[in-house]
Amino acid sequence: MSSKSLGGAGIKAFIKKYAMMLVFVVIVIFFTIMTDGIFLQPRNLSNLFRQMAIIGVLATGMSLVIVSGNIDLSVGTFLGFVSGLASAGMVWWNWRTPAAILLGILVGVVVGFLHGMLIAYLKLPAFITTLGTQFVFRGGLLGVIKGQTVAPLHESFVFIGQGYLARSVGWIIAIVATVLFIISVFNRRKKNKQLGIQSNPIGKDIVKIIAFIVVVFVFVYLMNIYEGIPVPTLILLGLSLLYTFIAEKTTFGRSVYAIGGNSMAAQYAGINVNRVITVVYMLSGALSAVAGLIMAARLNAGSPQSGLFMETDAIASAVIGGISMAGGTGKVYGALFGALLMASLDNGMSMMNVETFWQYIVKGAVLVLAVLFDIQSKSKK
Amino acid sequence: MPNNEATNTNQTIDRNSVILEMKDITKTFPGVVALSDVNFCLRTGTVHAICGENGAGKSTLIKVLSGVHPTGSYEGEIIVNSEPKVFNSVKDAEEVGIVCIHQELVLVPELTVAENMFLGHQPNHRGVIDRARLFQETQDLLVRLGINKEDAPPDILATDIIGDLSVGKQQLVEIAKALSKDCRILILDEPTSALTESEADVLLDIIRGLRERGISSIYISHKLDEVMEIADDVTIIRDGQYIGTKPKSDIKKSDIIAMMVGRELTNQFPEVDHERGKVRFEIKNYNVYRPGTDRKLIDNISFQARQGEVLGVSGLMGSGRTELFSSICGILPNRSEGEVYLDGELLNIKSPNDAIKNGIYYLTEDRNRYGLVLNMSVLENITLSSLKKVSKAGVLDRDKEVAYSNEYVDKINIKTASNDVKVSTLSGGNRQKVAIAKSLLTDPKVLILDEPTRGIDVGAKYEIYTIIHELVNEGVVVIVISSEMEEILGLSDRILVFSAGRLGGEIDISDASQVEIMKMATGFESDG
């Protein structure tokens, strides 16, 4: 009897663990059927990955904020502000592309620093602080572009939002990534052997490598059928990789997880909690700025509507990706999956010509649902 | 010394009748057998102690009994007054009169005593709370329980805000709350772990009073002196197995320890001779103020700590021991002044980080709340204070992390499946060892241990004492803050006694006794 009930518990646990994966599969199947398969065609996938880039960069920045036990509700309107600033700069004030990019990112770092001062040092609640700055940035956007659409932007700038990598470059990246992955897997095994730690069975590692190769090459192949890997997608993957490294391999990342897990214990252990939180916001600010730049480049304009409500996508993506609102747990790269799911919703619903009001309702509901799963998986442990 | 006056049965209570029986209780968690055929039999109107090391299964047994683990999630039977019972929830158990008071209190700190006591079932007229009756009934109950004496000014007022009361008084309110429901079997899980000795005495008196009224109690405690003082019967469990039940009159403290650990434990404290050396750590004229006022929490304390000795710090709860040391180490945010010297050098410590950099490590009394990140791994916790040491240019070196954590896991014998399991899966004693390992990895010159063995079983305590002695011999200045008199006397070479924010006295171990320390601890109390 007990083994039977254990089996039931196992299935339940499985469903709980992969609930969002299952939801994603259902969404993909649903949209594929409703669009007569167009949803899965290379042209649309390319489009989907491009859309995903902006949400993904935003969500990646958000991920460490949430891991640290905080929140940032201002990233959406801040993204809009940076896109407006860069556009106005280029169209009205003769900024060149590098200047627009660097200034945009600099503004992100400064804004993150200010957030850190308010939240970490002056102990204002993150929720209220960023709710307030959300309005500030919204106002800032409308002010800087004088409520109009500002266009067109430099061609070199537009490339970061609309460009594609040459097909050959795509293949080279795939090969290099594969080689690096294989080297890292075998390095790990060698290290483990030296340290006397049990490695995965060799078979499991080989399956892992094969899976990696399949995913990478199918991805590049599909993208190359259309125009090649979209530049914004590459930016997203690069930033996600960098952020994962920061989160998992640096003392800073370790401190962020410790603070999210138990900020008092982190402080007692000698971690400078305020400084770490401030840096988390500075990084998140920089990434929001990058997302804003990609947004402006993709639209080839600064628009008064840029970034509106995108904090919802970012938070939902992070939570769907397994980053717990309770803080202290979750993988930064999980945000990629969350962003893919949210972007799929956007893309699929647009293709089906679902009315805008329904799109808002569905996305809001998905956010609440994701948090519900998060809470449930916590309480049932 | 405990007196045995209350052992005679009296009046109409038949203390040989059985009110509760737990039969062949077996409870498994995935991969672990927590309880295996455990039997437990409680006589009416008696106090029955359950003893066992941490992880022996006491808490699981209590959770089975109080409905936290519902019927069906374990094997075996619970029989109350000869009737088999089914408990699907805590509420079901409470309806039968079984109430459990957990280690962590569950009172609302912002509300009054009365409001807490009747939370959820306040006396009311059509939903409007009848405050007069609420406070009156609370006062009556407090007197009836003997918490307040009828002819003396009350200790606890019904109108007191819970958060303003001491932990000891909160505990009494918790018990009163339990008894405001119709309670016949009271379960107390480590009720005195956060209490001072005098507060504990009050609690024990109240339990005796309940016993006279025919209420049965199950008493779980690591403090065997208390068990010997209060219990009628003692049941011992070890590793989830039922070891035996003995009437108190047939058993000695050493017998209980032997049954708990499964071996004869000849000495609770290691015998070690220390070579006393030069003064290394010195505090001069240290004051700590209450937040926002000029009133002093710590009043002009000065002392020295030497190499090669364990400096014990004793004092009643609220005497300012923790406040002083957490202020010295930059943890307590209160305004403070005074001088801190290490090896003759004046230090300027503004944060725990400064303290650790200067070689002073304070290990908190509350390891779960302040000492450990429970959802992180053993390895991650051990290296948490030494991230610089295990990294290069901010990038963690996994090899170093593994090497260091392995070294300390071996050195102080942390029992864990691997270094990658979460600390939350470890027992209290092993968690404490992880916290100690974390502090040792910083190579501290001064190690301040606040209640290092609170809530830890006898065997693990002995190991921690051994570690402390080794550190002293390696040249670390060790300061141990403890509420347990036995521990202070068994471990220290010299003892500082705090009394109401001042240094009540300093005494060498050769002159120290419980009485002497108590005198110093209470000496200044009349000054307020």
Side-chain angles (χ1 to χ4, degrees):
Chain A
M1 187 205 106
S2 67
S3 70
K4 212 174 180 182
S5 65
L6 261 178
I11 291 169
K12 260 192 192 160
F14 178 84
I15 291 177
K16 217 164 240 167
K17 196 168 172 193
Y18 297 104
M20 277 300 158
M21 294 271 189
L22 297 176
V23 169
F24 178 65
V25 170
V26 170
I27 288 172
V28 169
I29 293 171
F30 176 78
F31 283 141
T32 307
I33 294 169
M34 296 306 283
T35 59
D36 297 326
I38 299 173
F39 183 78
L40 278 185
Q41 281 179 4
R43 184 194 154 88
N44 188 55
L45 286 179
S46 174
N47 205 0
L48 174 64
F49 284 123
R50 230 159 21 113
Q51 271 178 298
M52 169 190 162
I54 295 169
I55 301 176
V57 171
L58 212 54
T60 301
M62 181 69 79
S63 63
L64 274 193
V65 175
I66 295 179
V67 167
S68 78
N70 287 287
I71 192 77
D72 190 344
L73 300 178
S74 72
V75 293
T77 61
F78 180 66
L79 176 161
F81 173 70
V82 171
S83 74
L85 181 71
S87 305
M90 283 182 282
V91 175
W92 293 336
W93 310 322
N94 296 321
W95 292 2
R96 301 194 174 205
T97 299
I101 291 173
L102 287 178
L103 281 170
I105 294 174
L106 184 69
V107 170
V109 173
V110 170
V111 159
F113 178 75
L114 293 176
H115 274 148
M117 287 294 124
L118 294 172
I119 292 163
Y121 288 92
L122 296 176
K123 308 290 173 213
L124 300 186
F127 186 89
I128 298 296
T129 307
T130 57
L131 189 65
T133 52
Q134 181 185 68
F135 270 68
V136 172
F137 300 137
R138 177 85 188 125
L141 166 63
L142 296 178
V144 79
I145 61 171
K146 304 199 174 81
Q148 337 164 6
T149 298
V150 184
L153 310 180
H154 305 321
E155 211 169 286
S156 58
F157 181 82
V158 170
F159 182 75
I160 66 171
Q162 299 186 357
Y164 296 94
L165 292 183
R167 295 191 172 84
S168 53
V169 176
W171 286 121
I172 291 171
I173 289 175
I175 291 165
V176 170
T178 303
V179 170
L180 288 178
F181 186 78
I182 293 173
I183 290 175
S184 86
V185 167
F186 281 96
N187 254 345
R188 177 80 271 155
R189 295 187 70 88
K190 213 170 103 189
K191 275 267 171 67
N192 282 350
K193 208 169 183 182
Q194 280 170 9
L195 293 168
I197 302 171
Q198 188 70 36
S199 289
N200 286 334
I202 182 84
K204 202 173 167 189
D205 274 350
I206 287 175
V207 169
K208 230 164 93 181
I209 290 170
I210 292 171
F212 182 86
I213 293 172
V214 169
V215 168
V216 169
F217 280 79
V218 167
F219 172 75
V220 175
Y221 173 73
L222 285 173
M223 293 300 105
N224 279 353
I225 290 180
Y226 189 55
E227 301 264 358
I229 299 174
V231 171
T233 308
L234 189 73
I235 293 173
L236 169 63
L237 291 176
L239 286 175
S240 180
L241 206 63
L242 178 68
Y243 233 58
T244 300
F245 177 80
I246 290 174
E248 307 206 344
K249 302 282 182 200
T250 67
T251 56
F252 166 76
R254 179 69 57 78
S255 305
V256 175
Y257 279 85
I259 291 168
N262 184 344
S263 75
M264 291 307 286
Q267 198 202 339
Y268 275 51
I271 289 170
N272 191 334
V273 173
N274 293 346
R275 193 165 67 197
V276 171
I277 299 271
T278 303
V279 175
V280 167
Y281 273 101
M282 287 164 74
L283 287 173
S284 161
L287 260 65
S288 307
V290 171
L293 296 169
I294 299 175
M295 175 69 103
R298 204 182 112 200
L299 300 175
N300 192 8
S303 142
Q305 295 304 314
S306 260
L308 217 50
F309 306 126
M310 279 194 71
E311 60 280 348
T312 313
D313 295 270
I315 296 169
S317 299
V319 176
I320 289 166
I323 294 159
S324 170
M325 291 302 290
T329 54
K331 300 281 187 197
V332 167
Y333 55 76
L336 283 186
F337 169 71
L340 182 61
L341 192 149
M342 293 306 282
S344 302
L345 282 177
D346 267 343
N347 177 289
M349 287 193 292
S350 302
M351 280 174 55
M352 284 170 58
N353 287 321
V354 174
E355 286 182 79
T356 315
F357 78 91
W358 272 118
Q359 297 198 17
Y360 284 138
I361 291 174
V362 169
K363 281 165 70 180
V366 167
L367 170 62
V368 176
L369 201 71
V371 176
L372 181 75
F373 277 125
D374 171 35
I375 303 279
Q376 283 221 324
S377 65
K378 273 260 139 47
S379 64
K380 289 286 153 67
K381 250 174 204 168
Chain B
M1 287 296 105
N3 56 6
N4 288 340
E5 56 175 8
T7 39
N8 291 338
T9 50
N10 59 355
Q11 296 157 18
T12 51
I13 302 161
D14 176 8
R15 296 196 199 271
N16 283 319
S17 71
V18 170
I19 183 167
L20 165 78
E21 207 180 346
M22 297 176 78
K23 269 191 184 162
D24 300 328
I25 304 289
T26 296
K27 167 84 189 163
T28 54
F29 294 106
V32 192
V33 181
L35 294 173
S36 158
D37 287 326
V38 170
N39 292 300
F40 179 74
C41 184
L42 178 65
R43 293 185 288 137
T44 310
T46 61
V47 178
H48 196 138
I50 301 179
C51 294
E53 292 191 287
N54 279 354
K58 293 168 302 191
S59 298
T60 311
L61 188 68
I62 291 316
K63 282 180 182 161
V64 165
L65 178 57
S66 57
V68 176
H69 297 316
T71 307
S73 71
Y74 57 88
E75 287 161 41
E77 248 187 322
I78 297 178
I79 300 164
V80 180
N81 283 329
S82 317
E83 273 178 52
K85 293 289 179 193
V86 172
F87 299 147
N88 290 319
S89 67
V90 175
K91 215 165 170 203
D92 287 350
E94 285 185 358
E95 266 166 27
V96 182
I98 299 174
V99 181
C100 182
I101 295 175
H102 293 281
Q103 253 167 300
E104 298 85 27
L105 302 179
V106 280
L107 298 170
V108 185
E110 291 82 9
L111 295 182
T112 62
V113 169
E115 284 162 334
N116 267 288
M117 205 105 93
F118 289 94
L119 205 59
H121 54 108
Q122 299 96 335
N124 63 72
H125 292 299
R126 298 164 198 267
V128 180
I129 295 173
D130 181 347
R131 291 183 72 82
R133 228 177 88 207
L134 174 69
F135 288 119
Q136 192 55 50
E137 285 189 15
T138 306
Q139 296 289 31
D140 293 349
L141 191 65
L142 289 172
V143 171
R144 210 159 62 235
L145 292 173
I147 293 173
N148 290 341
K149 302 283 178 286
E150 247 169 306
D151 43 2
D155 259 358
I156 300 175
L157 288 172
T159 50
D160 284 342
I161 303 290
I162 286 292
D164 297 341
L165 298 179
S166 68
V167 183
K169 287 182 177 172
Q170 290 185 23
Q171 190 103 41
L172 296 179
V173 172
E174 187 88 47
I175 291 175
K177 183 181 171 187
L179 294 164
S180 75
K181 302 165 193 166
D182 187 21
C183 166
R184 287 155 60 211
I185 299 174
L186 181 65
I187 306 168
L188 296 135
D189 190 0
E190 293 285 351
T192 60
S193 64
L195 303 192
T196 63
E197 301 220 350
S198 59
E199 285 173 333
D201 285 341
V202 173
L203 181 76
L204 295 184
D205 272 341
I206 285 164
I207 296 170
R208 276 190 209 102
L210 295 175
R211 181 182 179 280
E212 292 312 306
R213 289 171 47 205
I215 293 173
S216 318
S217 301
I218 298 173
Y219 194 88
I220 297 174
S221 179
H222 283 122
K223 300 185 183 171
L224 297 183
D225 287 330
E226 279 173 19
V227 168
M228 292 309 285
E229 205 177 321
I230 191 89
D232 296 289
D233 300 310
V234 182
T235 288
I236 292 108
I237 52 180
R238 180 173 77 227
D239 302 333
Q241 310 269 350
Y242 172 79
I243 303 299
T245 300
K246 295 266 167 81
K248 198 245 320 260
S249 46
D250 292 1
I251 200 168
K252 289 202 303 287
K253 216 170 101 180
S254 55
D255 300 333
I256 299 180
I257 293 175
M259 288 168 85
M260 274 167 64
V261 298
R263 62 183 185 276
E264 202 83 38
L265 202 66
T266 45
N267 200 339
Q268 274 177 271
F269 296 94
E271 293 283 346
V272 184
D273 280 329
H274 294 147
E275 190 85 22
R276 216 172 283 195
K278 60 179 193 295
V279 172
R280 294 195 61 193
F281 184 58
E282 185 168 12
I283 302 296
K284 277 188 188 162
N285 307 323
Y286 208 90
N287 293 297
V288 180
Y289 295 89
R290 287 176 199 279
T293 68
D294 279 335
R295 284 167 56 216
K296 286 179 178 175
L297 205 60
I298 296 293
D299 191 359
N300 204 31
I301 282 187
S302 304
F303 68 88
Q304 300 178 326
R306 290 171 176 278
Q307 179 141 2
E309 67 171 2
V310 176
L311 181 62
V313 177
S314 184
L316 301 172
M317 198 70 63
S319 61
R321 302 167 308 187
T322 297
E323 287 79 0
L324 173 67
F325 287 99
S326 56
S327 176
I328 289 172
C329 294
I331 290 165
L332 199 71
N334 302 25
R335 184 160 66 92
S336 65
E337 63 204 14
E339 292 164 7
V340 180
Y341 293 91
L342 179 62
D343 294 329
E345 196 187 329
L346 181 64
L347 303 182
N348 181 16
I349 296 170
K350 291 203 179 96
S351 69
N353 193 18
D354 290 343
I356 294 168
K357 269 190 211 150
N358 279 303
I360 303 171
Y361 205 105
Y362 169 81
L363 257 191
T364 160
E365 58 182 325
D366 194 337
R367 56 181 167 270
N368 292 338
R369 266 172 75 190
Y370 304 131
L372 296 164
V373 185
L374 293 178
N375 66 9
M376 278 187 148
S377 70
V378 172
L379 176 144
E380 287 168 328
N381 271 283
I382 289 178
T383 58
L384 196 58
S385 285
S386 319
L387 290 177
K388 276 227 175 85
K389 195 169 171 176
V390 296
S391 64
K392 222 185 246 164
V395 178
L396 292 166
D397 182 340
R398 166 96 189 158
D399 298 359
K400 272 190 189 162
E401 286 200 279
V402 171
Y404 277 125
S405 55
N406 280 345
E407 180 188 332
Y408 280 91
V409 163
D410 287 346
K411 186 174 173 189
I412 61 178
N413 195 20
I414 299 170
K415 288 181 201 103
T416 170
S418 92
N419 288 350
D420 291 323
V421 301
K422 289 183 177 178
V423 168
S424 56
T425 62
L426 302 187
S427 68
N430 283 308
R431 286 184 193 186
Q432 182 69 343
K433 287 185 195 166
V434 170
I436 292 177
K438 176 179 67 172
S439 67
L440 294 185
L441 189 51
T442 66
D443 292 323
K445 295 176 184 137
V446 179
L447 181 60
I448 302 162
L449 299 157
D450 199 347
E451 304 285 2
T453 66
R454 173 178 286 173
I456 290 177
D457 59 67
V458 189
K461 271 186 183 178
Y462 191 88
E463 289 185 90
I464 285 175
Y465 298 144
T466 310
I467 296 166
I468 289 174
H469 287 302
E470 278 171 18
L471 290 174
V472 169
N473 287 336
E474 284 166 20
V476 180
V477 176
V478 180
I479 300 174
V480 176
I481 307 171
S482 176
S483 296
E484 280 183 53
M485 201 65 96
E486 267 188 28
E487 181 166 288
I488 283 286
L489 290 169
L491 197 60
S492 314
D493 296 295
R494 197 156 55 87
I495 300 160
L496 301 177
V497 185
F498 280 38
S499 170
R502 301 183 195 187
L503 199 57
E506 183 182 328
I507 190 166
D508 198 86
I509 190 65
S510 51
D511 306 323
S513 69
Q514 292 213 16
V515 178
E516 208 51 46
I517 291 174
M518 225 44 210
K519 270 189 196 160
M520 290 177 173
T522 52
F524 286 101
E525 230 166 32
S526 53
D527 287 2

